[in-house]
């Protein structure tokens, strides 16, 4: 049995005819950038997600940068975000000229701790980026209350949380603007780089669309300088096909997680992921915790079970942020997670017998 961490081929095989036809039609029409297929995907994504505007861009990192710039973030500003994320969240803050200000995470949920946000707010603070990490939604009520009180913008980094829900509202529909990644391994994945930004704000949507396309909505009519961050038509065509299946795939991830919860729940020395009350997780990743993480990781590798660390080092302790002088003591919860987390395989097509084998090996490790 060959266990994969994620198997993108299995998903392709399940929708092969539609994907192949979509790719062929793009090539037949030789419209490789923009055109009706990109516009259709944006409209379809916006409709499915329940939002007014979807601006498709080249990748999820650009999505954050574009959104930050167009909500007015720039030189000298500060943007608050979580210590526990992928570097896109903080490097884009720096790219705008602003300073990323990191906050520790909540003990149970891996997400930014609202309790520790206000102490980081200064007169330079302009925005907060909550990251719905692994598919777990942040404590948005408390984050929005803080943002309102201090007049801060909220950008939800929803790269890992397509179709997650918080109190009946989809992740990404609570703040001012939200960004998605369609990196191949994400819950909705293209066959290359792709991303999108959603908002209900008409003016912001238009500005983001313009900025992502050299500052022009109509060719040669540049209203500002922008960047080149367009979604390829091929990726739009592929994503439009996959969008038809995303709710089923998200449910399959939840079912898979529920089985893990049941099978791994009682093991001594192992902590399974907890879901925030009144919310729906979308399980981009299923992350367990144990003090014997490194030992477990090598044991599983020796049994043919691939695992990954998301992520080996928390953001404030990465080299580019050395200049700020952060220490592990500044982020005790995130730092402890850094040393105990382990992502085990989860994807919609994960075969039952693979899952049973993975659980069996984890149980064997703890019982030996
Ligand atoms: C994947 C990811 C991004 C960036 O997306 P790309 O499409 O790879 O640029 C941003 N934030 C988080 C939390 C991510 O996981």
């Amino acid at each position: 049995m060959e266990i994969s961490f994620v198997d993108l081929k299995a998903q392709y095989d399940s929708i092969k005819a539609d994907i192949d036809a979509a790719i062929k039609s793009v090539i037949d029409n030789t419209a490789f950038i923009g055109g009706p297929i990109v516009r259709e995907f944006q409209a379809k994504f916006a409709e499915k997600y329940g939002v007014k505007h979807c601006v498709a861009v080249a990748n999820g990192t650009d999505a954050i940068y574009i959104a930050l710039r167009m909500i007015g973030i720039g030189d000298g500003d500060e943007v608050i975000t979580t210590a526990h994320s992928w570097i896109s969240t903080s490097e884009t803050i720096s790219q705008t000229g602003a300073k990323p200000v990191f906050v520790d995470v909540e003990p149970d949920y891996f997400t930014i701790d609202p309790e520790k946000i206000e102490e980081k707010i200064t007169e330079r603070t302009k925005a907060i980026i909550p990251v719905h990490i692994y598919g777990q939604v942040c404590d948005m009520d408390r984050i929005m209350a803080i943002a309102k009180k201090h007049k801060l913008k909220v950008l939800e980094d929803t790269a890992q949380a397509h179709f997650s829900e918080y109190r009946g509202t989809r992740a990404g529909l609570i703040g001012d603007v939200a960004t998605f990644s369609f990196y191949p391994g994400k819950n909705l994945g293209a066959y290359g780089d792709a991303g999108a930004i959603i908002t209900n704000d008409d003016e912001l949507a238009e500005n983001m669309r313009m900025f992502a396309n050299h500052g022009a909505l109509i060719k040669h009519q540049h209203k500002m300088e922008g960047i080149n961050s367009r979604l390829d038509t091929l990726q739009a065509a592929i994503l439009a096909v996959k969008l038809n299946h995303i709710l089923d795939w998200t449910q399959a991830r939840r079912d898979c997680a529920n089985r893990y919860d049941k099978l791994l729940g009682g093991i001594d020395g192992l902590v399974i992921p907890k879901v925030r009350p009144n919310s729906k997780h979308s399980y981009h990743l299923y992350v367990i915790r144990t003090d014997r993480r490194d030992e477990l990781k090598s044991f599983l590798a020796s049994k043919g079970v691939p695992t990954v660390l998301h992520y080996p080092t928390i953001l404030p302790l990465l080299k580019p942020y050395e200049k700020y002088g952060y220490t592990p003591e500044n982020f005790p919860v995130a730092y402890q997670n850094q040393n105990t987390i382990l992502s085990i395989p989860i994807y919609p097509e994960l075969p039952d017998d693979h899952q049973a084998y993975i659980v069996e090996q984890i149980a064997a490790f703890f019982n030996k």
Side-chain angles (χ1 to χ4, degrees), residues 72-105:
I73 307 302
D75 283 338
D77 294 337
E78 291 177 3
V79 176
I80 289 177
T81 193
T82 170
H84 184 128
S85 185
W86 171 243
I87 193 169
S88 300
T89 313
S90 50
E91 69 185 347
T92 46
I93 296 172
S94 303
Q95 271 168 31
T96 68
K99 176 186 174 187
V101 175
F102 299 107
V103 172
D104 203 2
V105 299

PDB file of all heavy atoms in Angstrom, residues 72-105:
ATOM      1  N   GLY A  72      -5.380  50.529   1.590  1.00  0.00           N
ATOM      2  CA  GLY A  72      -4.619  51.713   1.994  1.00  0.00           C
ATOM      3  C   GLY A  72      -3.413  51.457   2.875  1.00  0.00           C
ATOM      4  O   GLY A  72      -2.908  52.374   3.517  1.00  0.00           O
ATOM      5  N   ILE A  73      -2.930  50.236   2.941  1.00  0.00           N
ATOM      6  CA  ILE A  73      -1.761  49.954   3.783  1.00  0.00           C
ATOM      7  C   ILE A  73      -0.480  50.330   3.035  1.00  0.00           C
ATOM      8  O   ILE A  73      -0.328  50.009   1.862  1.00  0.00           O
ATOM      9  CB  ILE A  73      -1.707  48.450   4.167  1.00  0.00           C
ATOM     10  CG1 ILE A  73      -3.024  47.990   4.796  1.00  0.00           C
ATOM     11  CG2 ILE A  73      -0.520  48.177   5.103  1.00  0.00           C
ATOM     12  CD1 ILE A  73      -3.454  48.724   6.031  1.00  0.00           C
ATOM     13  N   GLY A  74       0.434  50.978   3.736  1.00  0.00           N
ATOM     14  CA  GLY A  74       1.698  51.377   3.105  1.00  0.00           C
ATOM     15  C   GLY A  74       2.754  51.735   4.122  1.00  0.00           C
ATOM     16  O   GLY A  74       2.669  51.333   5.292  1.00  0.00           O
ATOM     17  N   ASP A  75       3.756  52.489   3.659  1.00  0.00           N
ATOM     18  CA  ASP A  75       4.915  52.872   4.487  1.00  0.00           C
ATOM     19  C   ASP A  75       4.529  53.366   5.877  1.00  0.00           C
ATOM     20  O   ASP A  75       3.654  54.211   6.013  1.00  0.00           O
ATOM     21  CB  ASP A  75       5.687  54.008   3.799  1.00  0.00           C
ATOM     22  CG  ASP A  75       6.538  53.477   2.657  1.00  0.00           C
ATOM     23  OD1 ASP A  75       6.847  52.276   2.679  1.00  0.00           O
ATOM     24  OD2 ASP A  75       6.860  54.274   1.761  1.00  0.00           O
ATOM     25  N   GLY A  76       5.203  52.819   6.868  1.00  0.00           N
ATOM     26  CA  GLY A  76       5.035  53.319   8.232  1.00  0.00           C
ATOM     27  C   GLY A  76       3.857  52.732   8.985  1.00  0.00           C
ATOM     28  O   GLY A  76       3.719  52.938  10.189  1.00  0.00           O
ATOM     29  N   ASP A  77       2.981  52.008   8.290  1.00  0.00           N
ATOM     30  CA  ASP A  77       1.827  51.412   8.976  1.00  0.00           C
ATOM     31  C   ASP A  77       2.235  50.127   9.691  1.00  0.00           C
ATOM     32  O   ASP A  77       3.283  49.557   9.404  1.00  0.00           O
ATOM     33  CB  ASP A  77       0.720  51.067   7.960  1.00  0.00           C
ATOM     34  CG  ASP A  77       0.125  52.305   7.319  1.00  0.00           C
ATOM     35  OD1 ASP A  77       0.222  53.397   7.922  1.00  0.00           O
ATOM     36  OD2 ASP A  77      -0.428  52.184   6.203  1.00  0.00           O
ATOM     37  N   GLU A  78       1.370  49.701  10.599  1.00  0.00           N
ATOM     38  CA  GLU A  78       1.555  48.389  11.231  1.00  0.00           C
ATOM     39  C   GLU A  78       0.315  47.547  10.958  1.00  0.00           C
ATOM     40  O   GLU A  78      -0.806  48.065  10.961  1.00  0.00           O
ATOM     41  CB  GLU A  78       1.751  48.544  12.747  1.00  0.00           C
ATOM     42  CG  GLU A  78       3.084  49.193  13.096  1.00  0.00           C
ATOM     43  CD  GLU A  78       3.284  49.419  14.586  1.00  0.00           C
ATOM     44  OE1 GLU A  78       2.401  49.021  15.392  1.00  0.00           O
ATOM     45  OE2 GLU A  78       4.318  50.008  14.936  1.00  0.00           O
ATOM     46  N   VAL A  79       0.539  46.268  10.712  1.00  0.00           N
ATOM     47  CA  VAL A  79      -0.573  45.333  10.492  1.00  0.00           C
ATOM     48  C   VAL A  79      -0.384  44.159  11.450  1.00  0.00           C
ATOM     49  O   VAL A  79       0.688  43.561  11.510  1.00  0.00           O
ATOM     50  CB  VAL A  79      -0.615  44.829   9.026  1.00  0.00           C
ATOM     51  CG1 VAL A  79      -1.707  43.784   8.852  1.00  0.00           C
ATOM     52  CG2 VAL A  79      -0.832  46.002   8.077  1.00  0.00           C
ATOM     53  N   ILE A  80      -1.434  43.885  12.201  1.00  0.00           N
ATOM     54  CA  ILE A  80      -1.374  42.803  13.187  1.00  0.00           C
ATOM     55  C   ILE A  80      -1.763  41.479  12.547  1.00  0.00           C
ATOM     56  O   ILE A  80      -2.756  41.407  11.813  1.00  0.00           O
ATOM     57  CB  ILE A  80      -2.309  43.145  14.371  1.00  0.00           C
ATOM     58  CG1 ILE A  80      -1.674  44.293  15.178  1.00  0.00           C
ATOM     59  CG2 ILE A  80      -2.576  41.922  15.251  1.00  0.00           C
ATOM     60  CD1 ILE A  80      -2.502  44.791  16.320  1.00  0.00           C
ATOM     61  N   THR A  81      -0.983  40.461  12.804  1.00  0.00           N
ATOM     62  CA  THR A  81      -1.354  39.128  12.332  1.00  0.00           C
ATOM     63  C   THR A  81      -0.855  38.059  13.299  1.00  0.00           C
ATOM     64  O   THR A  81      -0.257  38.368  14.327  1.00  0.00           O
ATOM     65  CB  THR A  81      -0.883  38.882  10.877  1.00  0.00           C
ATOM     66  OG1 THR A  81      -1.543  37.707  10.381  1.00  0.00           O
ATOM     67  CG2 THR A  81       0.618  38.647  10.788  1.00  0.00           C
ATOM     68  N   THR A  82      -1.118  36.817  12.943  1.00  0.00           N
ATOM     69  CA  THR A  82      -0.810  35.701  13.818  1.00  0.00           C
ATOM     70  C   THR A  82       0.643  35.243  13.691  1.00  0.00           C
ATOM     71  O   THR A  82       1.238  35.347  12.609  1.00  0.00           O
ATOM     72  CB  THR A  82      -1.745  34.515  13.480  1.00  0.00           C
ATOM     73  OG1 THR A  82      -1.308  33.353  14.163  1.00  0.00           O
ATOM     74  CG2 THR A  82      -1.735  34.218  11.983  1.00  0.00           C
ATOM     75  N   ALA A  83       1.168  34.692  14.768  1.00  0.00           N
ATOM     76  CA  ALA A  83       2.525  34.136  14.748  1.00  0.00           C
ATOM     77  C   ALA A  83       2.571  32.825  13.972  1.00  0.00           C
ATOM     78  O   ALA A  83       3.634  32.376  13.559  1.00  0.00           O
ATOM     79  CB  ALA A  83       3.011  33.898  16.180  1.00  0.00           C
ATOM     80  N   HIS A  84       1.401  32.212  13.787  1.00  0.00           N
ATOM     81  CA  HIS A  84       1.341  30.868  13.214  1.00  0.00           C
ATOM     82  C   HIS A  84       0.655  30.905  11.851  1.00  0.00           C
ATOM     83  O   HIS A  84      -0.565  30.839  11.753  1.00  0.00           O
ATOM     84  CB  HIS A  84       0.555  29.962  14.181  1.00  0.00           C
ATOM     85  CG  HIS A  84       0.495  28.524  13.766  1.00  0.00           C
ATOM     86  ND1 HIS A  84       0.845  27.504  14.595  1.00  0.00           N
ATOM     87  CD2 HIS A  84       0.116  27.935  12.609  1.00  0.00           C
ATOM     88  CE1 HIS A  84       0.685  26.345  13.975  1.00  0.00           C
ATOM     89  NE2 HIS A  84       0.236  26.585  12.771  1.00  0.00           N
ATOM     90  N   SER A  85       1.455  31.043  10.790  1.00  0.00           N
ATOM     91  CA  SER A  85       0.905  31.010   9.433  1.00  0.00           C
ATOM     92  C   SER A  85       2.022  30.699   8.458  1.00  0.00           C
ATOM     93  O   SER A  85       3.172  30.496   8.849  1.00  0.00           O
ATOM     94  CB  SER A  85       0.252  32.353   9.076  1.00  0.00           C
ATOM     95  OG  SER A  85      -0.374  32.290   7.804  1.00  0.00           O
ATOM     96  N   TRP A  86       1.654  30.670   7.199  1.00  0.00           N
ATOM     97  CA  TRP A  86       2.606  30.568   6.097  1.00  0.00           C
ATOM     98  C   TRP A  86       3.137  31.978   5.840  1.00  0.00           C
ATOM     99  O   TRP A  86       2.421  32.948   6.049  1.00  0.00           O
ATOM    100  CB  TRP A  86       1.879  29.987   4.879  1.00  0.00           C
ATOM    101  CG  TRP A  86       2.629  29.990   3.589  1.00  0.00           C
ATOM    102  CD1 TRP A  86       2.287  30.669   2.437  1.00  0.00           C
ATOM    103  CD2 TRP A  86       3.830  29.271   3.293  1.00  0.00           C
ATOM    104  NE1 TRP A  86       3.214  30.391   1.456  1.00  0.00           N
ATOM    105  CE2 TRP A  86       4.168  29.554   1.960  1.00  0.00           C
ATOM    106  CE3 TRP A  86       4.650  28.426   4.045  1.00  0.00           C
ATOM    107  CZ2 TRP A  86       5.301  29.025   1.340  1.00  0.00           C
ATOM    108  CZ3 TRP A  86       5.781  27.898   3.437  1.00  0.00           C
ATOM    109  CH2 TRP A  86       6.091  28.195   2.095  1.00  0.00           C
ATOM    110  N   ILE A  87       4.374  32.085   5.370  1.00  0.00           N
ATOM    111  CA  ILE A  87       5.050  33.384   5.278  1.00  0.00           C
ATOM    112  C   ILE A  87       4.351  34.405   4.375  1.00  0.00           C
ATOM    113  O   ILE A  87       4.536  35.612   4.533  1.00  0.00           O
ATOM    114  CB  ILE A  87       6.536  33.209   4.863  1.00  0.00           C
ATOM    115  CG1 ILE A  87       7.308  34.518   5.081  1.00  0.00           C
ATOM    116  CG2 ILE A  87       6.639  32.673   3.438  1.00  0.00           C
ATOM    117  CD1 ILE A  87       8.812  34.392   4.959  1.00  0.00           C
ATOM    118  N   SER A  88       3.499  33.928   3.451  1.00  0.00           N
ATOM    119  CA  SER A  88       2.771  34.883   2.592  1.00  0.00           C
ATOM    120  C   SER A  88       2.048  35.942   3.403  1.00  0.00           C
ATOM    121  O   SER A  88       1.960  37.103   2.994  1.00  0.00           O
ATOM    122  CB  SER A  88       1.714  34.154   1.760  1.00  0.00           C
ATOM    123  OG  SER A  88       2.296  33.184   0.943  1.00  0.00           O
ATOM    124  N   THR A  89       1.511  35.537   4.543  1.00  0.00           N
ATOM    125  CA  THR A  89       0.713  36.455   5.354  1.00  0.00           C
ATOM    126  C   THR A  89       1.552  37.643   5.820  1.00  0.00           C
ATOM    127  O   THR A  89       1.085  38.785   5.797  1.00  0.00           O
ATOM    128  CB  THR A  89       0.148  35.730   6.593  1.00  0.00           C
ATOM    129  OG1 THR A  89      -0.412  34.492   6.187  1.00  0.00           O
ATOM    130  CG2 THR A  89      -0.912  36.568   7.269  1.00  0.00           C
ATOM    131  N   SER A  90       2.793  37.387   6.220  1.00  0.00           N
ATOM    132  CA  SER A  90       3.607  38.484   6.761  1.00  0.00           C
ATOM    133  C   SER A  90       4.491  39.146   5.711  1.00  0.00           C
ATOM    134  O   SER A  90       4.722  40.353   5.763  1.00  0.00           O
ATOM    135  CB  SER A  90       4.458  37.978   7.926  1.00  0.00           C
ATOM    136  OG  SER A  90       5.152  36.787   7.563  1.00  0.00           O
ATOM    137  N   GLU A  91       4.961  38.376   4.720  1.00  0.00           N
ATOM    138  CA  GLU A  91       5.862  39.011   3.744  1.00  0.00           C
ATOM    139  C   GLU A  91       5.123  40.045   2.900  1.00  0.00           C
ATOM    140  O   GLU A  91       5.713  41.042   2.479  1.00  0.00           O
ATOM    141  CB  GLU A  91       6.588  37.980   2.857  1.00  0.00           C
ATOM    142  CG  GLU A  91       5.725  37.243   1.874  1.00  0.00           C
ATOM    143  CD  GLU A  91       6.476  36.144   1.108  1.00  0.00           C
ATOM    144  OE1 GLU A  91       7.711  36.109   1.162  1.00  0.00           O
ATOM    145  OE2 GLU A  91       5.805  35.328   0.459  1.00  0.00           O
ATOM    146  N   THR A  92       3.833  39.831   2.694  1.00  0.00           N
ATOM    147  CA  THR A  92       3.063  40.812   1.909  1.00  0.00           C
ATOM    148  C   THR A  92       2.864  42.101   2.707  1.00  0.00           C
ATOM    149  O   THR A  92       2.813  43.185   2.136  1.00  0.00           O
ATOM    150  CB  THR A  92       1.696  40.239   1.507  1.00  0.00           C
ATOM    151  OG1 THR A  92       1.101  39.615   2.652  1.00  0.00           O
ATOM    152  CG2 THR A  92       1.838  39.212   0.395  1.00  0.00           C
ATOM    153  N   ILE A  93       2.745  41.972   4.034  1.00  0.00           N
ATOM    154  CA  ILE A  93       2.657  43.173   4.876  1.00  0.00           C
ATOM    155  C   ILE A  93       3.935  43.989   4.686  1.00  0.00           C
ATOM    156  O   ILE A  93       3.892  45.194   4.416  1.00  0.00           O
ATOM    157  CB  ILE A  93       2.474  42.792   6.368  1.00  0.00           C
ATOM    158  CG1 ILE A  93       1.141  42.062   6.578  1.00  0.00           C
ATOM    159  CG2 ILE A  93       2.560  44.045   7.254  1.00  0.00           C
ATOM    160  CD1 ILE A  93       0.963  41.476   7.997  1.00  0.00           C
ATOM    161  N   SER A  94       5.087  43.320   4.776  1.00  0.00           N
ATOM    162  CA  SER A  94       6.371  44.010   4.594  1.00  0.00           C
ATOM    163  C   SER A  94       6.484  44.615   3.195  1.00  0.00           C
ATOM    164  O   SER A  94       6.973  45.728   3.028  1.00  0.00           O
ATOM    165  CB  SER A  94       7.539  43.055   4.834  1.00  0.00           C
ATOM    166  OG  SER A  94       7.468  42.481   6.115  1.00  0.00           O
ATOM    167  N   GLN A  95       5.992  43.876   2.189  1.00  0.00           N
ATOM    168  CA  GLN A  95       6.070  44.379   0.799  1.00  0.00           C
ATOM    169  C   GLN A  95       5.368  45.717   0.633  1.00  0.00           C
ATOM    170  O   GLN A  95       5.756  46.523  -0.203  1.00  0.00           O
ATOM    171  CB  GLN A  95       5.396  43.392  -0.157  1.00  0.00           C
ATOM    172  CG  GLN A  95       6.318  42.310  -0.704  1.00  0.00           C
ATOM    173  CD  GLN A  95       5.507  41.206  -1.391  1.00  0.00           C
ATOM    174  OE1 GLN A  95       4.443  41.452  -1.946  1.00  0.00           O
ATOM    175  NE2 GLN A  95       6.020  39.993  -1.347  1.00  0.00           N
ATOM    176  N   THR A  96       4.325  45.968   1.404  1.00  0.00           N
ATOM    177  CA  THR A  96       3.611  47.241   1.265  1.00  0.00           C
ATOM    178  C   THR A  96       4.388  48.383   1.921  1.00  0.00           C
ATOM    179  O   THR A  96       4.026  49.544   1.765  1.00  0.00           O
ATOM    180  CB  THR A  96       2.218  47.202   1.939  1.00  0.00           C
ATOM    181  OG1 THR A  96       2.408  47.105   3.369  1.00  0.00           O
ATOM    182  CG2 THR A  96       1.365  46.056   1.449  1.00  0.00           C
ATOM    183  N   GLY A  97       5.419  48.032   2.704  1.00  0.00           N
ATOM    184  CA  GLY A  97       6.150  49.060   3.456  1.00  0.00           C
ATOM    185  C   GLY A  97       5.723  49.102   4.909  1.00  0.00           C
ATOM    186  O   GLY A  97       6.289  49.831   5.719  1.00  0.00           O
ATOM    187  N   ALA A  98       4.717  48.298   5.252  1.00  0.00           N
ATOM    188  CA  ALA A  98       4.236  48.267   6.636  1.00  0.00           C
ATOM    189  C   ALA A  98       5.025  47.241   7.447  1.00  0.00           C
ATOM    190  O   ALA A  98       5.805  46.458   6.898  1.00  0.00           O
ATOM    191  CB  ALA A  98       2.745  47.927   6.657  1.00  0.00           C
ATOM    192  N   LYS A  99       4.802  47.252   8.773  1.00  0.00           N
ATOM    193  CA  LYS A  99       5.488  46.306   9.649  1.00  0.00           C
ATOM    194  C   LYS A  99       4.506  45.234  10.130  1.00  0.00           C
ATOM    195  O   LYS A  99       3.421  45.565  10.627  1.00  0.00           O
ATOM    196  CB  LYS A  99       6.039  47.074  10.858  1.00  0.00           C
ATOM    197  CG  LYS A  99       6.690  46.180  11.906  1.00  0.00           C
ATOM    198  CD  LYS A  99       7.087  46.976  13.150  1.00  0.00           C
ATOM    199  CE  LYS A  99       7.602  46.015  14.221  1.00  0.00           C
ATOM    200  NZ  LYS A  99       7.854  46.674  15.497  1.00  0.00           N
ATOM    201  N   PRO A 100       4.873  43.958   9.973  1.00  0.00           N
ATOM    202  CA  PRO A 100       4.013  42.911  10.536  1.00  0.00           C
ATOM    203  C   PRO A 100       4.218  42.839  12.051  1.00  0.00           C
ATOM    204  O   PRO A 100       5.351  42.802  12.515  1.00  0.00           O
ATOM    205  CB  PRO A 100       4.514  41.628   9.866  1.00  0.00           C
ATOM    206  CG  PRO A 100       5.897  41.917   9.395  1.00  0.00           C
ATOM    207  CD  PRO A 100       6.058  43.406   9.282  1.00  0.00           C
ATOM    208  N   VAL A 101       3.122  42.851  12.778  1.00  0.00           N
ATOM    209  CA  VAL A 101       3.180  42.754  14.243  1.00  0.00           C
ATOM    210  C   VAL A 101       2.495  41.447  14.625  1.00  0.00           C
ATOM    211  O   VAL A 101       1.303  41.265  14.370  1.00  0.00           O
ATOM    212  CB  VAL A 101       2.473  43.965  14.895  1.00  0.00           C
ATOM    213  CG1 VAL A 101       2.425  43.807  16.410  1.00  0.00           C
ATOM    214  CG2 VAL A 101       3.190  45.259  14.510  1.00  0.00           C
ATOM    215  N   PHE A 102       3.268  40.539  15.202  1.00  0.00           N
ATOM    216  CA  PHE A 102       2.765  39.186  15.443  1.00  0.00           C
ATOM    217  C   PHE A 102       2.111  39.037  16.810  1.00  0.00           C
ATOM    218  O   PHE A 102       2.546  39.618  17.790  1.00  0.00           O
ATOM    219  CB  PHE A 102       3.909  38.175  15.321  1.00  0.00           C
ATOM    220  CG  PHE A 102       4.540  38.158  13.959  1.00  0.00           C
ATOM    221  CD1 PHE A 102       5.796  38.708  13.747  1.00  0.00           C
ATOM    222  CD2 PHE A 102       3.871  37.609  12.879  1.00  0.00           C
ATOM    223  CE1 PHE A 102       6.381  38.699  12.485  1.00  0.00           C
ATOM    224  CE2 PHE A 102       4.439  37.597  11.605  1.00  0.00           C
ATOM    225  CZ  PHE A 102       5.707  38.144  11.418  1.00  0.00           C
ATOM    226  N   VAL A 103       1.070  38.203  16.835  1.00  0.00           N
ATOM    227  CA  VAL A 103       0.329  37.917  18.070  1.00  0.00           C
ATOM    228  C   VAL A 103       0.295  36.401  18.256  1.00  0.00           C
ATOM    229  O   VAL A 103       0.178  35.644  17.273  1.00  0.00           O
ATOM    230  CB  VAL A 103      -1.112  38.493  17.968  1.00  0.00           C
ATOM    231  CG1 VAL A 103      -1.979  38.050  19.133  1.00  0.00           C
ATOM    232  CG2 VAL A 103      -1.068  40.019  17.882  1.00  0.00           C
ATOM    233  N   ASP A 104       0.387  35.966  19.499  1.00  0.00           N
ATOM    234  CA  ASP A 104       0.358  34.532  19.816  1.00  0.00           C
ATOM    235  C   ASP A 104      -1.027  33.931  19.481  1.00  0.00           C
ATOM    236  O   ASP A 104      -1.983  34.659  19.219  1.00  0.00           O
ATOM    237  CB  ASP A 104       0.660  34.332  21.312  1.00  0.00           C
ATOM    238  CG  ASP A 104       1.187  32.927  21.633  1.00  0.00           C
ATOM    239  OD1 ASP A 104       1.364  32.118  20.699  1.00  0.00           O
ATOM    240  OD2 ASP A 104       1.404  32.636  22.823  1.00  0.00           O
ATOM    241  N   VAL A 105      -1.109  32.609  19.517  1.00  0.00           N
ATOM    242  CA  VAL A 105      -2.365  31.930  19.163  1.00  0.00           C
ATOM    243  C   VAL A 105      -3.102  31.414  20.402  1.00  0.00           C
ATOM    244  O   VAL A 105      -2.527  31.306  21.480  1.00  0.00           O
ATOM    245  CB  VAL A 105      -2.121  30.765  18.177  1.00  0.00           C
ATOM    246  CG1 VAL A 105      -1.502  31.291  16.886  1.00  0.00           C
ATOM    247  CG2 VAL A 105      -1.248  29.677  18.795  1.00  0.00           C
TER     248      VAL A 105
END
